[in-house]
Amino acid sequence: MTDERSLEEKQADERYYEVLLSLFLTDGWKQLKEEFTKNFLDLNKVTNVKVEHVDYVKGQLNILHNLINLEESTRFAIDQMNAGDDNEIN
């Protein structure tokens, strides 16, 4: 399997993920994640949602879900990127 990405593209990807990983170490990120999780749990109470607002609330829940799971998604992407690099060597 050949990887068509250039060295510059790979380095840009690595830098992107390094910046995100450093973000996840900050108190600010931890506080935001707690706030996102609280908001997610509050919005996820179906009994409080009027029928005409369901699509709006679903959109909000999707955004909050993505933010709450950004760290895990980033680590997964890094693992996949590294696995691809390992396959190139073999």
Side-chain angles (χ1 to χ4, degrees), residues 26 66 83:
T26 66
N66 289 339

Side-chain angles (χ1 to χ4, degrees), residues 18-71:
E18 286 172 5
V19 169
L20 281 175
L21 289 174
S22 67
L23 168 70
F24 301 143
L25 297 174
T26 66
D27 290 338
W29 172 254
K30 292 171 187 162
Q31 185 173 348
L32 272 175
K33 188 172 177 181
E34 286 177 21
E35 199 63 31
F36 294 151
T37 301
K38 180 187 175 302
N39 290 339
F40 182 89
L41 295 172
D42 289 344
L43 279 172
N44 205 23
K45 297 176 183 165
V46 177
T47 56
N48 298 335
V49 179
K50 294 180 182 178
V51 172
E52 60 268 18
H53 297 133
V54 168
D55 287 335
Y56 176 75
V57 171
K58 283 173 53 178
Q60 287 183 318
L61 287 169
N62 188 39
I63 291 167
L64 288 169
H65 178 267
N66 289 339
L67 289 169
I68 291 166
N69 292 298
L70 182 60
E71 182 175 358

